[in-house]
């Protein structure tokens, strides 16, 4: 929201009050409070009027500083509120005549007590950000009061995050409203709005407000990041890094880490699509077709019309097309498949749950006591009130009946179009609940699955989200067109969401709206299978590959099997997601924050810390991508790629730029037809361009997330040595190393088209004579 007319003037109807300086400071254990009048205090007469702002500085955990700005303190506290995991930060406060300072970990805030208003946040001997005159403000507008804050944005500093946003990855120059909307993937609206921004300048900013937050990122004032909320108070938190990954670790420690997910969820998901016609025969035909073509499949998803039209949601199978749903699910599960069904938090008037929910008071009401309804999406649609614990239990019980029947997980769709002219059971403020509603909705579904399936076995396919929703994965990108442009905007959205604390992300392979042409579909397959989660889904057309062409079948087989073999590596990346809050799909700036060439890169990403992926956004296969310093290696061919430059290549449909980082050791599994297997048994370690002095530890996660096997790879001169713990069968591949040029101890060599392959005989392999 913009308040000014250019740099010098305010917009019509806007009055601004800024802290003019510090009147006095009050201290408490681990915090201090500043009283800042909006006018200079020259004599006692200036003390007889306001406004004045009260600013409290504290710390909820080390290296995080909280700032609360208040005008009128008499405003009643309103829910909901984000659940933050705070701890004793051991913050230290020091006050002298010149300044008030609070230090938490390596991060400090300094408020000048003399002279003009000045606040600085510092760490490591340098100022990260801060503000001065006319930055912090009370804004009075025709719509009411707003608290506004501005923070300095230095030259060459870039802003990321703010949820899953489909525009440019770097948010500088953008106006962003944190307000969930069902707006597709081609507008400024977003399904997943998160009031958290991350910078490459050593800090992030989390605005602790679940409702509408307005960000002006180097837009209203091009040298500042601005955020504002309506009302009399606003709290925000500065999260120190120094590196972007450190910021994410601390932010997710505060707001919640993603959950651990089951191995099977990383396999290929196939959907009925949205408005297509289907029954058990159709479903069986799809599954038979996949099996006949040797295409691994892990999950089958039933979209909307598994229920009767106009009955969404009553959670009952349409008896006209599915007369024996329990038997059908048993037959599908007997084929090794997991089952997902579509749900949403809305109850249509024809659903028998409408009358039940109305009678029991489980549906959102208008202020006059009527059930809130409209005709968008479903005739007479009502919304479940998840602030009522009884309503949550009621809703979960309907889903539990499906679990008893054989369903494994849910696609928890929608949750964005939440009205504000309603009354909640717990008295929550409707504006604050608009974005937060999705948290309660998906928490209800996820916790049911966790209770029934156990820790690490619950998984959703959710569309809407807010801060903290990363705890209930997976989230997918929403409704996009079937175009290369939409494929690219999806990637921007996923990378932006990853910079907002979300560890996993997916998208509709081939696009949702329309039918992709064969070239687009095949290019999207490679991107989809090199994402954390992979789903074939569309709107009005099926997504089975043989409907496009036979080459699409081959391409899907190639990348589905590649992903299955990458599972030891992917589960290692997933461990960083649920253990540290780092996304599996990472914007390049997360891994290479010191490389100025990567700041704006949004057509490529790192999958985990060691694999670079550059999806091909053209039918002819031409692709440009940037390679950081060092000698990288094409994973699919073993060819070296010199870094520190842009590369232009042309790829066939069964290829994509997939590069291994110099000095990395990538574990490949021995199984390629399913993701859920013993990842340590028969694993092959691909060691890429190890430098002299390298020491790399590779852990293979086992069931429950525990380490099943550990490998230590070292290089000393021309000697490469690998030692294993917990592995009986394993191998080592050294791409680019000729077997005839080296000697091997501890294993037997075998031919491989990329280099030296050694089958271990015990717990160590030593290779001498390695050059390059």
């Amino acid at each position: 929201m913009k308040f000014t007319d250019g740099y010098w003037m305010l917009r019509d109807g806007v009055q601004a009050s800024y802290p003019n300086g510090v009147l006095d400071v009050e201290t408490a254990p681990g915090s201090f409070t500043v009283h800042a009048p909006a006018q200079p205090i020259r004599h006692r007469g200036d003390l007889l009027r306001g406004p004045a702002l009260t600013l409290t500085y504290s710390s909820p955990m080390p290296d995080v500083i909280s700032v609360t700005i208040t005008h009128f303190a008499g405003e009643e506290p309103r829910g909901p509120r984000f659940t933050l995991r705070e701890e004793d930060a051991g913050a230290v406060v020091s006050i002298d005549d010149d300044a008030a300072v609070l230090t938490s970990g390596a991060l400090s805030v300094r408020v000048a007590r003399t002279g003009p208003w000045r606040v600085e946040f510092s760490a490591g001997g340098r100022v990260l950000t801060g503000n001065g005159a006319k930055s912090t403000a009370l804004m009075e507008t025709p719509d009411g009061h707003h608290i506004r804050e501005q923070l300095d944005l230095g030259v060459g500093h870039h802003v990321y995050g703010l949820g899953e946003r489909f525009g440019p990855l770097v948010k500088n120059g953008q106006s962003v409203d944190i307000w969930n909307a069902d707006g597709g993937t081609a507008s400024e609206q977003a399904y997943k709005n998160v009031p958290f921004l991350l910078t490459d300048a050593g800090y992030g900013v989390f605005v602790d407000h679940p409702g509408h937050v307005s960000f002006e990122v180097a837009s209203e004032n091009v040298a500042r990041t601005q955020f504002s909320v309506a009302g009399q108070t606003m709290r925000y938190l500065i999260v120190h890094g120094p590196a972007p990954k450190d910021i994410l670790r601390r932010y997710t420690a505060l707001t919640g880490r993603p959950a651990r997910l089951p191995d099977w969820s990383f396999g290929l998901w196939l959907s009925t699509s949205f408005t297509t016609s289907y029954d058990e025969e159709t479903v069986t035909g799809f599954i038979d077709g996949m099996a006949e073509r040797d295409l691994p499949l892990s999950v089958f998803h039933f979209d909307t019309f598994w229920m009767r039209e106009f009955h969404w949601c009553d959670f009952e199978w349409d008896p006209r097309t599915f007369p024996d749903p329990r038997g059908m699910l048993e037959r599908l599960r007997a084929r090794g498949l997991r089952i997902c069904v579509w749900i949403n938090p809305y109850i249509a008037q024809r659903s028998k749950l409408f009358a039940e929910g109305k009678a029991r008071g489980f549906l959102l009401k208008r202020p006059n006591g009527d059930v809130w309804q409209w005709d968008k999406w479903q005739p007479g649609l009502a919304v479940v009130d998840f602030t009522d614990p009884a309503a949550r239990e009621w809703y979960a019980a309907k889903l539990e009946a499906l679990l008893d029947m054989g369903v494994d997980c849910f696609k928890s769709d929608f949750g964005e179009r939440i009205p504000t002219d309603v009354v909640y059971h717990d008295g929550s403020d409707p504006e604050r609940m608009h974005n937060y509603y999705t948290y309660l909705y998906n928490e209800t579904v996820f916790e049911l699955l966790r209770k029934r399936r156990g820790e690490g076995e619950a998984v959703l396919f959710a569309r809407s989200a807010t801060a903290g929703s990363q705890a209930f994965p997976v989230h997918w990108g929403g409704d996009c067109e079937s175009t290369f442009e939409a494929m690219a905007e999806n990637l921007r959205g996923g990378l932006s969401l990853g910079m907002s604390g979300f560890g996993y992300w997916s998208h509709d392979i081939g696009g949702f709206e329309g039918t992709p042409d064969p070239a687009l579909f095949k290019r999207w397959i490679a991107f989809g299978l090199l994402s954390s989660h992979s789903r074939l889904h569309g709107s009005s057309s099926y997504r089975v590959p043989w409907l496009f062409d036979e080459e699409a079948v081959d391409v899907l087989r190639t990348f589905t099997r590649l992903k299955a073999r990458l599972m030891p590596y992917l589960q290692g990346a997933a461990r960083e997601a649920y253990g540290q809050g780092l996304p599996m799909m990472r914007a390049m700036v997360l891994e290479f924050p010191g490389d100025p060439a990567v700041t704006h890169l949004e057509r490529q990403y790192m999958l985990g810390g060691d694999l670079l992926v550059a999806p091909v956004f053209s039918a002819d296969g031409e692709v440009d991508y940037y390679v950081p310093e060092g000698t990288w290696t094409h994973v699919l061919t073993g060819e070296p790629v010199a870094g520190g430059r842009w590369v232009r290549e042309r790829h066939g449909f069964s290829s994509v730029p997939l590069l291994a980082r110099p000095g990395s050791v990538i574990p490949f599994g021995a199984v390629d037809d399913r993701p859920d297997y013993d990842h340590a048994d028969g694993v092959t370690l691909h060691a890429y361009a190890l430098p002299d002095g390298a020491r790399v530890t590779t852990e293979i996660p086992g069931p429950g997330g525990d380490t099943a096997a550990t490998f230590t790879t070292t290089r000393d001169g021309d000697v490469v040595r690998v030692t294993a713990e917990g592995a009986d069968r394993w191998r080592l591949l050294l791409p680019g190393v000729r077997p005839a040029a080296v000697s091997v101890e501890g294993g037997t060599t075998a031919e491989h088209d990329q280099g030296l392959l050694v089958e271990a005989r015990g717990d160590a392999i030593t290779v001498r004579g390695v050059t390059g």
Side-chain angles (χ1 to χ4, degrees):
M1 181 177 182
K2 293 182 172 68
F3 299 95
T4 57
D5 177 9
Y7 186 72
W8 306 110
M9 297 188 296
L10 295 170
R11 296 194 172 194
D12 290 344
V14 175
Q15 297 182 43
S17 300
Y18 312 104
N20 186 266
V22 174
L23 177 67
D24 56 30
V25 180
E26 296 178 318
T27 64
S31 71
F32 68 82
T33 298
V34 171
H35 299 281
Q39 66 280 334
I41 306 301
R42 297 158 298 190
H43 48 72
R44 286 188 172 184
D46 291 329
L47 299 170
L48 303 180
R49 59 190 175 92
L53 293 178
T54 302
L55 297 95
T56 298
Y57 300 85
S58 61
S59 178
M61 64 173 51
D63 290 287
V64 178
I65 288 178
S66 166
V67 183
T68 302
I69 306 169
T70 303
H71 176 223
F72 290 154
E75 195 174 58
E76 280 296 316
R78 295 180 177 89
R81 298 182 180 278
F82 290 125
T83 300
L84 303 183
R85 295 151 180 82
E86 302 187 9
E87 61 184 76
D88 182 9
V92 176
V93 174
S94 61
I95 308 289
D96 60 25
D97 292 341
D98 293 327
V101 179
L102 181 145
T103 299
S104 173
L107 179 65
S108 294
V109 60
R110 180 184 187 275
V111 181
R113 298 190 64 186
T114 60
W117 179 257
R118 182 63 190 166
V119 178
E120 293 179 344
F121 296 91
S122 302
R126 67 184 183 92
V127 176
L128 304 178
T129 187
N131 60 38
K134 296 188 176 182
S135 294
T136 305
L138 167 70
M139 293 293 187
E140 297 179 66
T141 75
D143 296 327
H145 290 81
H146 299 259
I147 300 295
R148 187 203 74 180
E149 180 69 300
Q150 292 180 336
L151 295 173
D152 300 334
L153 191 62
V155 176
H157 293 172
H158 305 91
V159 174
Y160 306 89
L162 298 176
E164 181 192 47
R165 317 214 74 85
F166 302 103
L169 178 66
V170 174
K171 301 303 183 289
N172 297 44
Q174 297 184 40
S175 299
V176 176
D177 284 312
I178 302 299
W179 191 254
N180 284 359
D182 180 2
T185 67
S187 76
E188 79 284 359
Q189 295 181 359
Y191 304 101
K192 308 168 188 66
N193 288 268
V194 180
F196 169 72
L197 63 84
L198 182 151
T199 75
D200 57 2
Y203 68 94
V205 180
F206 174 54
V207 180
D208 186 13
H209 182 87
H212 183 205
V213 184
S214 177
F215 284 87
E216 298 290 342
V217 185
S219 47
E220 183 165 17
N221 184 315
V222 298
R224 295 175 184 170
T225 297
Q226 172 179 303
F227 40 95
S228 60
V229 301
Q232 301 289 344
T233 187
M234 177 175 69
R235 183 194 189 205
Y236 69 92
L237 299 99
I238 299 292
V239 184
H240 177 232
K245 288 201 286 189
D246 297 322
I247 299 169
L248 280 181
R249 290 184 182 102
R250 293 195 173 99
Y251 167 71
T252 56
L254 187 70
T255 60
R257 295 264 166 82
R260 180 168 56 87
L261 296 177
D263 287 348
W264 56 262
S265 74
F266 292 88
L268 182 62
W269 297 48
L270 174 62
S271 167
T272 59
S273 291
F274 172 35
T275 60
T276 50
S277 177
Y278 64 90
D279 54 17
E280 183 176 358
E281 183 179 359
T282 310
V283 171
T284 302
F286 287 165
I287 295 168
D288 286 344
M290 298 288 283
E292 291 163 3
R293 293 166 175 82
D294 202 22
L295 297 170
L297 184 63
S298 294
V299 184
F300 192 86
H301 168 70
F302 292 85
D303 216 62
T304 48
F305 283 95
W306 69 273
M307 291 178 280
R308 290 168 292 178
E309 68 277 4
F310 289 173
H311 287 254
W312 305 339
C313 287
D314 63 3
F315 307 114
E316 293 185 358
W317 294 84
D318 185 345
R320 299 166 300 181
T321 50
F322 300 106
D324 179 26
R326 186 180 297 273
M328 177 186 65
L329 297 185
E330 289 177 355
R331 290 185 284 274
L332 295 179
R333 289 175 61 85
R335 304 184 67 163
L337 294 171
R338 305 284 180 157
I339 305 302
C340 177
V341 297
W342 173 94
I343 62 171
N344 67 38
Y346 309 140
I347 308 295
Q349 187 166 287
R350 284 192 66 186
S351 167
K352 69 178 184 181
L353 301 188
F354 179 85
E356 185 179 335
K358 177 185 176 184
R360 300 181 66 178
F362 293 161
L363 306 177
L364 286 184
K365 298 181 180 66
R366 296 185 184 276
N368 67 0
D370 294 343
V371 171
W372 185 94
Q373 291 180 267
W374 69 353
D375 285 327
K376 294 182 179 180
W377 181 240
Q378 290 282 278
L381 176 150
V383 181
V384 177
D385 184 352
F386 285 105
T387 70
D388 184 349
R392 295 180 72 164
E393 292 179 7
W394 172 73
Y395 188 87
K398 307 302 179 183
L399 302 183
E400 193 159 20
L402 292 167
L403 299 181
D404 291 337
M405 190 179 291
V407 169
D408 294 284
C409 55
F410 299 103
K411 173 185 171 180
S412 49
D413 205 351
F414 288 84
E416 305 92 359
R417 293 179 178 176
I418 303 303
T420 55
D421 54 337
V422 291
V423 176
Y424 282 91
H425 170 82
D426 72 347
S428 284
D429 178 76
E431 182 267 338
R432 296 172 67 94
M433 271 298 301
H434 174 83
N435 294 337
Y436 196 77
Y437 181 91
T438 179
Y439 183 94
L440 298 179
Y441 162 43
N442 282 292
E443 180 186 45
T444 299
V445 182
F446 195 86
E447 290 305 324
L448 168 67
L449 289 167
R450 179 153 31 204
K451 180 182 74 173
R452 287 293 304 270
R453 298 290 186 245
E455 190 68 37
E457 287 295 319
V459 61
L460 300 178
F461 237 83
R463 190 173 75 173
S464 57
T466 186
S469 294
Q470 63 265 18
F472 318 122
V474 170
H475 294 82
W476 100 95
D479 299 345
C480 60
E481 303 292 325
S482 294
T483 65
F484 280 111
E485 291 78 11
M487 181 176 159
E489 72 200 21
N490 264 262
L491 176 56
R492 294 195 296 269
L495 296 182
S496 184
L497 190 67
M499 301 285 260
S500 307
F502 287 69
Y504 315 96
W505 177 78
S506 188
H507 45 97
D508 294 339
I509 295 174
F512 179 72
E513 296 288 356
T515 301
D517 63 38
L520 171 63
F521 183 65
K522 287 178 282 194
R523 295 300 183 195
W524 209 315
I525 285 173
F527 171 37
L529 270 299
L530 290 171
S531 299
S532 89
H533 286 75
S534 311
R535 184 179 69 166
L536 295 166
H537 180 65
S539 177
S540 58
S541 57
Y542 303 123
R543 290 292 182 265
V544 288
W546 54 89
L547 295 181
F548 297 89
D549 59 29
E550 284 306 309
E551 187 178 30
V553 174
D554 297 334
V555 172
L556 184 61
R557 184 186 305 112
T558 294
F559 286 102
T560 305
R561 292 187 176 277
L562 172 64
K563 187 175 187 184
R565 289 204 62 210
L566 280 172
M567 278 303 297
Y569 171 78
L570 294 176
Q571 272 295 18
R575 179 185 278 185
E576 290 186 302
Y578 63 77
Q580 302 180 46
L582 303 180
M584 291 186 67
M585 300 172 67
R586 303 172 186 175
M588 297 294 292
V589 71
L590 272 181
E591 285 295 333
F592 303 95
D595 188 341
V598 307
T599 55
H600 286 72
L601 296 185
E602 58 188 22
R603 299 197 307 272
Q604 62 187 78
Y605 58 96
M606 296 296 291
L607 182 58
D610 291 326
L611 289 179
L612 187 157
V613 182
V616 179
F617 296 104
S618 65
D620 64 9
E622 189 168 282
V623 56
D624 296 293
Y625 62 97
Y626 174 76
V627 184
E629 290 287 346
T631 300
W632 295 63
T633 306
H634 272 293
V635 171
L636 301 181
T637 66
E639 297 175 0
V641 181
R645 64 191 180 100
W646 281 86
V647 174
R648 173 170 292 178
E649 296 174 344
R650 189 177 296 272
H651 285 258
F653 289 114
S654 291
S655 180
V656 68
L658 175 64
L659 274 60
R661 191 172 188 164
S664 64
V665 177
I666 309 293
F668 280 69
V671 175
D672 67 359
D673 62 352
R674 60 184 307 117
D676 44 344
Y677 60 92
D678 184 347
H679 299 151
D681 185 28
V683 68
T684 300
L685 305 178
H686 293 217
Y688 293 102
L690 294 171
D692 189 14
R695 182 182 180 87
V696 181
T697 299
T698 306
E699 294 185 348
I700 311 298
D706 296 331
T707 300
T710 302
F711 299 89
T712 303
T713 304
T714 62
R715 180 170 182 177
D716 183 9
D718 67 350
V719 179
V720 173
R721 180 176 175 82
V722 184
T723 58
E725 296 179 22
D728 295 324
R729 295 191 312 120
W730 60 282
R731 303 188 300 177
L732 171 66
L733 176 66
L734 296 175
V737 174
R738 294 183 296 109
V742 298
S743 62
V744 175
E745 301 170 11
T748 57
T749 61
E751 292 186 5
H752 194 280
D753 58 4
Q754 290 193 17
L756 173 69
L757 179 65
V758 183
E759 185 90 33
R761 289 197 298 262
D763 59 5
I765 292 174
T766 301
V767 182
R768 303 181 187 277
V770 177
T771 59

